[in-house]
Amino acid sequence: MTLPELFRHRDLFVGCLAIGRVPSKRTGERLRAGRYESVLDETDAAAFASLADTLLHGRGDTFSIVTQGYDYPSLARCPALEDDGRCGIHLKGKPVTCEVVPLDPLVPDKLQHLVLAGRNQSALYLGNDCIQEGPHADATLLVADGRIEDATARHALARRRSALEQEKAMWGRAVFESLRKDLFESPAALARIPAGGFLTISIVPALLAVAGASVRCRERCLDYIDSQLALIERRIAQALLRRRLDDRPVTQELRGFANAFQRARTLLATPLASRSEDRAFAASVEAYLSSADAN
């Protein structure tokens, strides 16, 4: 989910930052997914490098820094799901990251068939039974011959990549720099990022990156913090009633998020010096934070 999407659904999703390693790809490298294999040529490696340069952070070792919703894994369901199993926000600002499923915006279009094959094999990937090989009369062909055939999926993938690029520009670079010394340049800290997974931390660094753009941005961040504190309190109260041992680490992390929100609220209660006196910049950040409201 993007930061504007989390702002829109602030009473539904607890927001956090998710940081993952994305290994660079090299010419001659073999990518495998089940019985499928591709040996990357120069064009493939260049396509990966182009996506990394546009969407990721760092040189050599590259990292993804994204905002996402956070909840108790034991619930095994999205907070937006209704009792009948339908998405409650499908027509009310459904996140682009949901629309792009099951494709991966960090993989070139030519190799999306490997993404699908990997999803199909993964027991952790929800809905993998709907991924079938070959054309079917009752289903839309998604990828074929190194192309994304379905226009809706192609558009969703482009929108997700555009959103990630905008996130990088609006707050991603600032967050990367703020964490460079304590995380990205520390081998001990980097070891906390699980292989093939994400390190989740408070979303506060992203909020601080945009709050200084204008008074309106600061006010929106404060409103978001208040909503998140109330939501975290409700989520923890519900977890305590469930009395599950496997919920305890999540409860501990949510309490850490709440503490970070409280500190940020104290900091933002006093107007921050603007990052720029350029009203055009302030207007662009304000428009960005409001971009999901009309969807």
Side-chain angles (χ1 to χ4, degrees), residues 154-213:
R154 192 164 57 245
H155 179 60
L157 189 60
R159 289 177 59 211
R160 179 57 177 162
R161 286 172 177 157
S162 177
L164 289 173
E165 184 176 6
Q166 188 177 34
E167 298 273 278
K168 181 178 179 179
M170 289 294 173
W171 55 263
R173 290 190 184 95
V175 169
F176 180 77
E177 290 302 324
S178 71
L179 299 175
R180 180 188 290 274
K181 181 179 179 181
D182 293 332
L183 176 59
F184 298 110
E185 293 181 351
S186 168
L190 283 177
R192 297 167 53 203
I193 303 178
F198 296 94
L199 169 68
T200 53
I201 65 172
S202 167
I203 199 173
V204 162
L207 299 182
L208 296 182
V210 298

Side-chain angles (χ1 to χ4, degrees), residues 55-71:
L55 308 178
L56 301 178
H57 303 266
R59 291 288 184 269
D61 290 336
T62 52
F63 303 89
S64 64
I65 306 176
V66 299
T67 49
Q68 69 177 31
Y70 184 93
D71 206 357

Side-chain angles (χ1 to χ4, degrees), residues 12-13 24 65 86-87 89 98 104 108 142 145 172 178 215 218 223 227 252 287 294:
L12 187 59
F13 296 98
S24 299
I65 306 176
R86 297 183 181 183
C87 176
I89 58 174
C98 298
D104 186 342
L142 189 57
D145 300 323
S178 71
V215 172
R218 181 174 63 86
D223 288 344
S227 295
Q252 183 177 6

